[in-house]
Amino acid sequence: MKKVLLGILFVGVASFANAQKSEINEAKKAWNLLAVTSGKTLADHLKVLNGGLAHTDKAIADEKSKIMPEAWSYRALFASRIALVDSVDQNNAKANQKIAEEAIAQAKTLDTKGAEKENIETASVNVENALRNRAIYAYNKKDFAAALDAFNEITVKSPNDTSMYVNAGVTAKELKNYPEVVKNFKKAIDLNYKDAKVLYSEIVGITFDKIKDSVAGLALLKEASAKYPDDSYFIGMETDLYIKKGDIAKSQEMLQKLIAKDPKNAIYQYLMGDTYYKQALEIQTKRNALDVKKTKEFNEMGVKMTKLIDQSVPYYKAALELDPKNVNALENLKIIYLFKDDKVNYEVVNKKLAELKQ
């Protein structure tokens, strides 16, 4: 009698184990069905995916089968695929992404033999692509807040993907969230983004003009100038900064050192001319705003302005000798000769400009 009962018990255990695995087997069948439904509607696709996910719900609810790595790997596959393809219900996509991430983590813990490695990798890629799709979808809909959240989430998961930091920065700019722009662009720069010079230009300008932090702006500007010592934009910005602060001596001191180091650099010559020319323009603006009755002051300012203009000319000429195609130097000289009523030189410069623009 005991033998009969024992035999029945063994049969029961085997049936129970098979019942535990049946949900996983059904999940596998549903996954294989995707090849058939992939060309059909999104609704058909989601129906199969949700059906497969439901089988994994049951599998992980059972004490025995929830320790099977394949229960979690298939759960990750279904949930990550839903997160990837459900472009209609973004909340559902987010919820399934979370399910997938939890399942991936559990599968990695349980899969000590590496049998589910491929499924886990596929699910991980699905999650990453789902996030990217959601970010782009939100950006195109001009839901910049949602797009920024998604891009920032991607940078956490893929901390070395410079393009995602750039995307986050561009999106933050749409939101006028300037600290986020600077943070993301700077991170891309630090990771050696290929167009770092462009990003430096953005964050330097934003830090000065939008965030109004001249200390941080100058630090970024000096960093950019050190990295791109021959770039006229950064050198020009730094000299402009000193001019605006009224520290002309500092601006010219910096340029004199650069000229001494590289006297054949046309950019340095041009920028030195600018230190005088821009002072003249500033005086002109103040002069134009004067009361017409203040003749004496008007004339005195005119003398100062002319003197500064005259000091700029040799440097612009030197720049042109080194680089005959320096359009900025030609444009400034054209204005200067027009102001001084120097028709001969005006025509010479104007002709060169016309030739360059052909």
Side-chain angles (χ1 to χ4, degrees):
M1 186 66 176
K2 287 182 181 178
K3 290 181 180 179
V4 174
L5 287 174
L6 191 60
I8 292 171
L9 183 62
F10 282 143
V11 170
V13 170
S15 299
F16 185 57
N18 287 333
Q20 291 163 4
K21 281 193 172 184
S22 66
E23 295 297 341
I24 298 173
N25 290 333
E26 288 302 316
K28 290 179 179 179
K29 288 179 186 177
W31 185 253
N32 291 331
L33 268 177
L34 288 175
V36 179
T37 61
S38 61
K40 296 184 179 180
T41 66
L42 175 61
D44 290 330
H45 203 57
L46 286 172
K47 184 178 179 181
V48 175
L49 288 169
N50 283 315
L53 186 62
H55 286 299
T56 69
D57 286 340
K58 293 176 182 178
I60 66 166
D62 186 273
E63 288 296 323
K64 299 290 184 181
S65 54
K66 75 176 184 181
I67 61 172
M68 297 177 181
E70 55 189 342
W72 293 98
S73 73
Y74 276 90
R75 183 172 181 76
L77 284 173
F78 284 113
S80 66
R81 187 68 170 264
I82 294 169
L84 177 61
V85 303
D86 194 354
S87 58
V88 176
D89 189 342
Q90 291 295 298
N91 288 330
N92 184 53
K94 286 182 183 179
N96 276 279
Q97 178 191 323
K98 185 177 179 181
I99 291 170
E101 287 169 341
E102 291 170 351
I104 289 168
Q106 192 67 15
K108 286 180 177 179
T109 300
L110 294 171
D111 188 30
T112 55
K113 296 181 180 179
E116 299 304 310
K117 182 181 178 182
E118 186 176 337
N119 284 348
I120 293 169
E121 287 178 352
T122 299
S124 298
V125 171
N126 282 346
V127 167
E128 186 178 328
N129 288 336
L131 256 177
R132 290 171 187 265
N133 287 356
R134 189 158 70 244
I136 294 167
Y137 181 77
Y139 186 89
N140 289 339
K141 283 183 65 181
K142 299 190 183 303
D143 185 354
F144 299 121
L148 181 58
D149 285 344
F151 282 128
N152 281 338
E153 193 174 343
I154 294 169
T155 60
V156 172
K157 294 178 182 296
S158 304
N160 295 314
D161 190 339
T162 56
S163 62
M164 290 300 109
Y165 287 106
V166 173
N167 287 344
V170 169
T171 307
K173 191 175 180 182
E174 293 286 353
L175 292 167
K176 295 182 170 55
N177 187 341
Y178 298 115
E180 277 287 302
V181 177
V182 174
K183 182 190 81 174
N184 282 291
F185 281 0
K186 187 61 170 66
K187 187 63 180 178
I189 289 169
D190 292 342
L191 289 170
N192 298 316
Y193 182 67
K194 61 179 181 178
D195 291 325
K197 187 159 67 173
V198 174
L199 299 187
Y200 265 126
S201 300
E202 283 279 343
I203 62 175
V204 167
I206 284 172
T207 304
F208 277 118
D209 302 333
K210 303 297 183 181
I211 301 177
K212 307 292 184 184
D213 187 341
S214 58
V215 175
L218 183 57
L220 285 170
L221 183 54
K222 285 183 176 294
E223 185 180 310
S225 296
K227 199 167 186 177
Y228 302 100
D230 296 325
D231 191 271
S232 61
Y233 176 80
F234 299 124
I235 299 169
M237 276 197 77
E238 194 168 351
T239 56
D240 276 354
L241 181 63
Y242 292 127
I243 291 170
K244 287 175 184 176
K245 289 171 67 177
D247 194 348
I248 308 301
K250 178 68 175 177
S251 177
Q252 292 179 341
E253 178 190 352
M254 186 184 83
L255 285 168
Q256 282 167 356
K257 287 179 181 178
L258 291 170
I259 290 170
K261 183 180 178 182
D262 186 4
K264 294 185 177 181
N265 189 310
I267 292 168
Y268 299 157
Q269 299 287 348
Y270 167 78
L271 290 173
M272 180 62 90
D274 258 12
T275 63
Y276 294 103
Y277 184 61
K278 286 178 179 177
Q279 288 181 80
L281 292 178
E282 192 176 333
I283 292 173
Q284 184 183 44
T285 301
K286 292 177 181 177
R287 184 172 176 249
N288 291 341
L290 276 178
D291 188 318
V292 292
K293 295 178 181 179
K294 294 184 176 181
T295 308
K296 182 181 178 183
E297 191 174 348
F298 184 87
N299 290 336
E300 287 174 350
M301 291 177 79
V303 171
K304 288 181 181 179
M305 186 175 72
T306 303
K307 183 179 179 181
L308 287 165
I309 286 173
D310 289 342
Q311 286 176 293
S312 72
V313 172
Y315 290 103
Y316 286 147
K317 285 183 174 180
L320 285 171
E321 286 176 10
L322 294 165
D323 177 16
K325 294 182 179 181
N326 191 318
V327 174
N328 291 326
L330 285 168
E331 290 284 3
N332 288 353
L333 282 173
K334 178 182 173 181
I335 295 169
I336 289 169
Y337 291 138
L338 182 64
F339 169 76
K340 293 171 73 69
D341 198 27
D342 185 341
K343 294 178 182 178
V344 175
N345 279 315
Y346 174 84
E347 289 300 330
V348 171
V349 170
N350 198 36
K351 184 180 178 181
K352 287 181 180 179
L353 276 169
E355 290 171 353
L356 288 175
K357 291 176 181 179
Q358 285 179 353

